[in-house]
Amino acid sequence: MSSVRVRFAPSPTGELHVGGARTALFNWLFARKHKGVFILRFEDTDIERNRPELIEPIIESLRWLGLLWDEGPYFQSQRFSLYREWAERLLNEGKAYKCYCTPEELEQKRQRALAAKQKPLYDRRCRALSPQDEEKFMREGRQPALRLKIPESGTIIVNDAIRGQVEFDLAELDDFIILRSDGRPTYNFAVVVDDITMGITHVIRADEHLNNTPKQMLIYQAFGHPVPVFAHVPMVLAKDRSKLSKRHGATAVFEFRDRGILPEALVNYLARLGWSYGDQEIFSREELIEKFSLEAIHPSAAIFDEEKLLWVNQHHLKTSDPKRLGELVRPFLVKLGILSEAEAHAVPSEKLVQMVVLFRERARTLAELAEPARYLFTDNFSHDPEAVQKFLTPEKIPLLEGLAGALAAVEPFTATEIERATRAYLDSQGKTLKEIAQPCRVALTGRTTGAGLFETMELIGRERVIARLRRASLAQQPQASL
Ligand code: GLU
């Protein structure tokens, strides 16, 4: 049994987006690869920014991606007494001290420092208070915060598994607060107490937390606890190299799900976002687990490329079990307004499987894969006017009508039998398939592209095929609905 223990620690301040999902994935892959433990922890101590209603959707997003955790979810908001206990331990050991400065006093000092063009660092006024001073402050009713005593000079080096060595100057840091005067822990303190008590061995998280790491290392030092391995994962940027945001299109996991991206495709794509294994692009979940390593994560920012995600999704659509895809397509029939809930429910699985097999070569999403259902399973589709004009010419109409008659007796109504009957009819008329294939397709589907004609006819079904061929001439009229 390996001792690897990692965690994904979202703050419920937004939905699960590409960047967060990738952090979760890297942690999950690392845990699975090393047969370790993957922990889910919500960092929900920021009262102002917290949105508890987002916790469930974040959990749901992780489930959908298949990134299941072994422990948790833990909630920092339920662990306040632990943080207080741990902070008091440092106080008792002389590694932290009470600071009685009021927010107003601190703000004044801050303003003064800024005016003098200095970094506003705490001046350590309360680090060596006399018992008399302390008594005086207490009499004034001041509630102390706890600050960590840190060395006043020197450097602290983060040995990052992705970024290498990153050096921080201690003179740039101050005796920062670990426990606020109201008893709430500060962010960095809660993270470290959690990471220690949860036995975290590797901290794999977003790059933006690198600046927190020296402070967190000082807290580890104060507790005399070895630091975990840190791995700060570079940002995900949009194509224009700005921070990925809503204006670039979909960024939340659920948006991709709702557009018909497969979870395994999103996982595949996210893994490749900053991590690589030679030039391999397509990975199964098992392969990712086998091949993943922190060392192969690139230290530079990754660029989110939606076209590539669609390409990866297309690949997974082509190779996934058609039966499963059929069921995944079903809700899209409703979402796209093709069928009612009840109608979608009633479509036999075999029909969906047939549709998937016929159309998946061309579809990039489940939504695209569902689209042909409009003409396969309903009559509520429109004819492309250009296609109608080009192919449903007056001399073709009698041929289509004749074909309708020939198909009436085909038994069973399968692609093979339909093809046989069509060819026999065309022979009898001295015509070729080429002459009728496109007109027939336009009459049946309203468009010029699609899957194999005879397979499509089988799926549309005899009645509708015959009706559409018979009424092909009506398609020429504007707005005609067959
Ligand atoms: N709660 C932090 C976030 O959502 C993660 C902190 C960490 O992983 O250490 O960005």
Side-chain angles (χ1 to χ4, degrees), residues 36 72 76 78 100 144 182 211 214 216 253 278 287 292 321 332 373 377 384 414 477:
Q76 288 191 327
Q78 295 170 3
Y100 291 89
D182 63 5
N211 281 333
Q216 296 185 4
V253 168
E287 262 179 304
F292 182 76
D321 172 25
F332 283 90
F377 305 143
D384 168 11
T414 56
Q477 296 165 11

PDB file of all heavy atoms in Angstrom, residues 36 72 76 78 100 144 182 211 214 216 253 278 287 292 321 332 373 377 384 414 477:
ATOM      1  N   GLY A  36      -2.750   5.447  -4.127  1.00  0.00           N
ATOM      2  CA  GLY A  36      -2.857   6.262  -2.920  1.00  0.00           C
ATOM      3  C   GLY A  36      -4.293   6.678  -2.666  1.00  0.00           C
ATOM      4  O   GLY A  36      -5.231   6.060  -3.170  1.00  0.00           O
ATOM      5  N   GLY A  72     -13.661  12.054   2.423  1.00  0.00           N
ATOM      6  CA  GLY A  72     -14.317  13.345   2.380  1.00  0.00           C
ATOM      7  C   GLY A  72     -15.688  13.226   1.774  1.00  0.00           C
ATOM      8  O   GLY A  72     -16.190  12.111   1.628  1.00  0.00           O
ATOM      9  N   GLN A  76     -13.972  22.799   5.718  1.00  0.00           N
ATOM     10  CA  GLN A  76     -13.185  23.584   6.678  1.00  0.00           C
ATOM     11  C   GLN A  76     -14.098  24.285   7.683  1.00  0.00           C
ATOM     12  O   GLN A  76     -13.721  24.466   8.829  1.00  0.00           O
ATOM     13  CB  GLN A  76     -12.323  24.607   5.935  1.00  0.00           C
ATOM     14  CG  GLN A  76     -11.164  23.945   5.202  1.00  0.00           C
ATOM     15  CD  GLN A  76     -10.150  24.941   4.688  1.00  0.00           C
ATOM     16  OE1 GLN A  76     -10.502  26.054   4.318  1.00  0.00           O
ATOM     17  NE2 GLN A  76      -8.893  24.538   4.648  1.00  0.00           N
ATOM     18  N   GLN A  78     -16.365  23.226   9.237  1.00  0.00           N
ATOM     19  CA  GLN A  78     -16.715  22.370  10.377  1.00  0.00           C
ATOM     20  C   GLN A  78     -15.512  22.040  11.248  1.00  0.00           C
ATOM     21  O   GLN A  78     -15.584  21.202  12.128  1.00  0.00           O
ATOM     22  CB  GLN A  78     -17.342  21.057   9.868  1.00  0.00           C
ATOM     23  CG  GLN A  78     -18.658  21.294   9.163  1.00  0.00           C
ATOM     24  CD  GLN A  78     -19.165  20.052   8.442  1.00  0.00           C
ATOM     25  OE1 GLN A  78     -18.564  18.987   8.506  1.00  0.00           O
ATOM     26  NE2 GLN A  78     -20.284  20.197   7.753  1.00  0.00           N
ATOM     27  N   TYR A 100      -2.699  42.722  19.440  1.00  0.00           N
ATOM     28  CA  TYR A 100      -3.875  43.488  19.878  1.00  0.00           C
ATOM     29  C   TYR A 100      -4.167  44.675  18.965  1.00  0.00           C
ATOM     30  O   TYR A 100      -5.045  45.476  19.269  1.00  0.00           O
ATOM     31  CB  TYR A 100      -3.667  43.979  21.318  1.00  0.00           C
ATOM     32  CG  TYR A 100      -3.690  42.861  22.334  1.00  0.00           C
ATOM     33  CD1 TYR A 100      -2.516  42.191  22.674  1.00  0.00           C
ATOM     34  CD2 TYR A 100      -4.880  42.476  22.935  1.00  0.00           C
ATOM     35  CE1 TYR A 100      -2.522  41.159  23.601  1.00  0.00           C
ATOM     36  CE2 TYR A 100      -4.901  41.447  23.874  1.00  0.00           C
ATOM     37  CZ  TYR A 100      -3.717  40.790  24.188  1.00  0.00           C
ATOM     38  OH  TYR A 100      -3.736  39.764  25.104  1.00  0.00           O
ATOM     39  N   PRO A 144      -7.500  39.785  20.847  1.00  0.00           N
ATOM     40  CA  PRO A 144      -6.265  39.579  20.081  1.00  0.00           C
ATOM     41  C   PRO A 144      -6.428  38.608  18.910  1.00  0.00           C
ATOM     42  O   PRO A 144      -7.219  37.671  18.976  1.00  0.00           O
ATOM     43  CB  PRO A 144      -5.312  38.990  21.111  1.00  0.00           C
ATOM     44  CG  PRO A 144      -6.198  38.273  22.076  1.00  0.00           C
ATOM     45  CD  PRO A 144      -7.500  39.038  22.115  1.00  0.00           C
ATOM     46  N   ASP A 182     -11.670  37.113  15.800  1.00  0.00           N
ATOM     47  CA  ASP A 182     -12.979  36.478  16.013  1.00  0.00           C
ATOM     48  C   ASP A 182     -12.873  34.947  16.072  1.00  0.00           C
ATOM     49  O   ASP A 182     -13.882  34.244  16.097  1.00  0.00           O
ATOM     50  CB  ASP A 182     -13.962  36.901  14.909  1.00  0.00           C
ATOM     51  CG  ASP A 182     -13.518  36.440  13.527  1.00  0.00           C
ATOM     52  OD1 ASP A 182     -12.513  35.709  13.427  1.00  0.00           O
ATOM     53  OD2 ASP A 182     -14.174  36.815  12.535  1.00  0.00           O
ATOM     54  N   ASN A 211       2.582  31.688  -4.404  1.00  0.00           N
ATOM     55  CA  ASN A 211       2.946  32.767  -3.479  1.00  0.00           C
ATOM     56  C   ASN A 211       2.502  32.499  -2.052  1.00  0.00           C
ATOM     57  O   ASN A 211       3.012  33.115  -1.128  1.00  0.00           O
ATOM     58  CB  ASN A 211       2.355  34.097  -3.947  1.00  0.00           C
ATOM     59  CG  ASN A 211       3.201  34.672  -5.064  1.00  0.00           C
ATOM     60  OD1 ASN A 211       4.397  34.392  -5.137  1.00  0.00           O
ATOM     61  ND2 ASN A 211       2.579  35.436  -5.939  1.00  0.00           N
ATOM     62  N   PRO A 214       5.466  29.884   0.580  1.00  0.00           N
ATOM     63  CA  PRO A 214       6.444  30.181   1.636  1.00  0.00           C
ATOM     64  C   PRO A 214       5.775  30.365   3.001  1.00  0.00           C
ATOM     65  O   PRO A 214       6.289  29.864   4.005  1.00  0.00           O
ATOM     66  CB  PRO A 214       7.113  31.477   1.160  1.00  0.00           C
ATOM     67  CG  PRO A 214       6.323  31.966   0.006  1.00  0.00           C
ATOM     68  CD  PRO A 214       5.575  30.804  -0.545  1.00  0.00           C
ATOM     69  N   GLN A 216       3.028  28.999   3.980  1.00  0.00           N
ATOM     70  CA  GLN A 216       2.602  27.679   4.445  1.00  0.00           C
ATOM     71  C   GLN A 216       3.800  26.873   4.942  1.00  0.00           C
ATOM     72  O   GLN A 216       3.712  26.157   5.937  1.00  0.00           O
ATOM     73  CB  GLN A 216       1.846  26.947   3.327  1.00  0.00           C
ATOM     74  CG  GLN A 216       0.556  27.680   2.959  1.00  0.00           C
ATOM     75  CD  GLN A 216      -0.307  26.939   1.950  1.00  0.00           C
ATOM     76  OE1 GLN A 216      -0.007  25.825   1.559  1.00  0.00           O
ATOM     77  NE2 GLN A 216      -1.394  27.574   1.530  1.00  0.00           N
ATOM     78  N   VAL A 253     -17.441  22.782 -16.343  1.00  0.00           N
ATOM     79  CA  VAL A 253     -17.582  21.363 -16.680  1.00  0.00           C
ATOM     80  C   VAL A 253     -19.001  21.057 -17.176  1.00  0.00           C
ATOM     81  O   VAL A 253     -19.196  20.376 -18.181  1.00  0.00           O
ATOM     82  CB  VAL A 253     -17.220  20.493 -15.452  1.00  0.00           C
ATOM     83  CG1 VAL A 253     -17.637  19.050 -15.655  1.00  0.00           C
ATOM     84  CG2 VAL A 253     -15.725  20.585 -15.172  1.00  0.00           C
ATOM     85  N   GLY A 278       4.921  11.950 -24.965  1.00  0.00           N
ATOM     86  CA  GLY A 278       5.299  11.943 -26.380  1.00  0.00           C
ATOM     87  C   GLY A 278       4.300  12.792 -27.152  1.00  0.00           C
ATOM     88  O   GLY A 278       3.867  13.829 -26.663  1.00  0.00           O
ATOM     89  N   GLU A 287      -4.963   4.313 -19.396  1.00  0.00           N
ATOM     90  CA  GLU A 287      -3.653   4.721 -19.921  1.00  0.00           C
ATOM     91  C   GLU A 287      -3.147   5.971 -19.217  1.00  0.00           C
ATOM     92  O   GLU A 287      -1.948   6.122 -18.972  1.00  0.00           O
ATOM     93  CB  GLU A 287      -3.811   5.069 -21.402  1.00  0.00           C
ATOM     94  CG  GLU A 287      -3.425   3.977 -22.351  1.00  0.00           C
ATOM     95  CD  GLU A 287      -3.655   4.445 -23.773  1.00  0.00           C
ATOM     96  OE1 GLU A 287      -4.796   4.850 -24.092  1.00  0.00           O
ATOM     97  OE2 GLU A 287      -2.694   4.432 -24.549  1.00  0.00           O
ATOM     98  N   PHE A 292       0.716   8.849 -16.344  1.00  0.00           N
ATOM     99  CA  PHE A 292       0.797  10.172 -15.737  1.00  0.00           C
ATOM    100  C   PHE A 292       2.013  10.309 -14.815  1.00  0.00           C
ATOM    101  O   PHE A 292       2.369   9.394 -14.097  1.00  0.00           O
ATOM    102  CB  PHE A 292      -0.470  10.455 -14.927  1.00  0.00           C
ATOM    103  CG  PHE A 292      -0.468  11.815 -14.306  1.00  0.00           C
ATOM    104  CD1 PHE A 292      -0.710  12.936 -15.083  1.00  0.00           C
ATOM    105  CD2 PHE A 292      -0.195  11.985 -12.952  1.00  0.00           C
ATOM    106  CE1 PHE A 292      -0.696  14.204 -14.525  1.00  0.00           C
ATOM    107  CE2 PHE A 292      -0.174  13.252 -12.385  1.00  0.00           C
ATOM    108  CZ  PHE A 292      -0.419  14.357 -13.160  1.00  0.00           C
ATOM    109  N   ASP A 321     -18.925   2.527 -26.719  1.00  0.00           N
ATOM    110  CA  ASP A 321     -19.983   1.539 -26.910  1.00  0.00           C
ATOM    111  C   ASP A 321     -21.260   2.204 -27.446  1.00  0.00           C
ATOM    112  O   ASP A 321     -21.808   3.102 -26.786  1.00  0.00           O
ATOM    113  CB  ASP A 321     -20.254   0.876 -25.543  1.00  0.00           C
ATOM    114  CG  ASP A 321     -21.474  -0.026 -25.593  1.00  0.00           C
ATOM    115  OD1 ASP A 321     -21.803  -0.516 -26.696  1.00  0.00           O
ATOM    116  OD2 ASP A 321     -22.101  -0.231 -24.524  1.00  0.00           O
ATOM    117  N   PHE A 332     -30.649  14.471 -25.336  1.00  0.00           N
ATOM    118  CA  PHE A 332     -30.439  15.551 -26.316  1.00  0.00           C
ATOM    119  C   PHE A 332     -31.607  15.664 -27.290  1.00  0.00           C
ATOM    120  O   PHE A 332     -31.853  16.715 -27.863  1.00  0.00           O
ATOM    121  CB  PHE A 332     -29.125  15.335 -27.079  1.00  0.00           C
ATOM    122  CG  PHE A 332     -27.938  15.730 -26.252  1.00  0.00           C
ATOM    123  CD1 PHE A 332     -27.310  14.805 -25.435  1.00  0.00           C
ATOM    124  CD2 PHE A 332     -27.476  17.035 -26.257  1.00  0.00           C
ATOM    125  CE1 PHE A 332     -26.243  15.174 -24.631  1.00  0.00           C
ATOM    126  CE2 PHE A 332     -26.408  17.421 -25.468  1.00  0.00           C
ATOM    127  CZ  PHE A 332     -25.791  16.487 -24.654  1.00  0.00           C
ATOM    128  N   ALA A 373     -31.881  12.910 -35.802  1.00  0.00           N
ATOM    129  CA  ALA A 373     -33.152  12.357 -35.291  1.00  0.00           C
ATOM    130  C   ALA A 373     -34.338  13.176 -35.773  1.00  0.00           C
ATOM    131  O   ALA A 373     -35.453  12.667 -35.855  1.00  0.00           O
ATOM    132  CB  ALA A 373     -33.120  12.308 -33.765  1.00  0.00           C
ATOM    133  N   PHE A 377     -36.726  10.425 -36.876  1.00  0.00           N
ATOM    134  CA  PHE A 377     -37.809  10.030 -35.975  1.00  0.00           C
ATOM    135  C   PHE A 377     -38.995  10.990 -35.969  1.00  0.00           C
ATOM    136  O   PHE A 377     -39.961  10.767 -35.256  1.00  0.00           O
ATOM    137  CB  PHE A 377     -37.287   9.893 -34.528  1.00  0.00           C
ATOM    138  CG  PHE A 377     -36.110   8.961 -34.394  1.00  0.00           C
ATOM    139  CD1 PHE A 377     -35.085   9.241 -33.498  1.00  0.00           C
ATOM    140  CD2 PHE A 377     -36.018   7.796 -35.159  1.00  0.00           C
ATOM    141  CE1 PHE A 377     -34.000   8.384 -33.370  1.00  0.00           C
ATOM    142  CE2 PHE A 377     -34.932   6.941 -35.036  1.00  0.00           C
ATOM    143  CZ  PHE A 377     -33.916   7.240 -34.145  1.00  0.00           C
ATOM    144  N   ASP A 384     -33.569  22.150 -46.984  1.00  0.00           N
ATOM    145  CA  ASP A 384     -32.643  23.191 -47.407  1.00  0.00           C
ATOM    146  C   ASP A 384     -33.077  23.672 -48.803  1.00  0.00           C
ATOM    147  O   ASP A 384     -33.068  22.892 -49.763  1.00  0.00           O
ATOM    148  CB  ASP A 384     -31.232  22.580 -47.436  1.00  0.00           C
ATOM    149  CG  ASP A 384     -30.232  23.482 -48.129  1.00  0.00           C
ATOM    150  OD1 ASP A 384     -30.571  24.655 -48.394  1.00  0.00           O
ATOM    151  OD2 ASP A 384     -29.117  22.998 -48.420  1.00  0.00           O
ATOM    152  N   THR A 414     -35.285  -3.490 -44.749  1.00  0.00           N
ATOM    153  CA  THR A 414     -33.900  -3.334 -44.263  1.00  0.00           C
ATOM    154  C   THR A 414     -33.062  -2.729 -45.380  1.00  0.00           C
ATOM    155  O   THR A 414     -33.448  -2.779 -46.562  1.00  0.00           O
ATOM    156  CB  THR A 414     -33.285  -4.697 -43.914  1.00  0.00           C
ATOM    157  OG1 THR A 414     -33.381  -5.515 -45.101  1.00  0.00           O
ATOM    158  CG2 THR A 414     -34.019  -5.376 -42.783  1.00  0.00           C
ATOM    159  N   GLN A 477     -42.214  23.852 -52.857  1.00  0.00           N
ATOM    160  CA  GLN A 477     -42.903  25.072 -52.444  1.00  0.00           C
ATOM    161  C   GLN A 477     -42.216  25.634 -51.213  1.00  0.00           C
ATOM    162  O   GLN A 477     -41.759  24.906 -50.357  1.00  0.00           O
ATOM    163  CB  GLN A 477     -44.370  24.753 -52.115  1.00  0.00           C
ATOM    164  CG  GLN A 477     -45.111  24.284 -53.345  1.00  0.00           C
ATOM    165  CD  GLN A 477     -46.407  23.631 -52.973  1.00  0.00           C
ATOM    166  OE1 GLN A 477     -46.859  23.695 -51.858  1.00  0.00           O
ATOM    167  NE2 GLN A 477     -47.032  23.025 -53.978  1.00  0.00           N
TER     168      GLN A 477
END
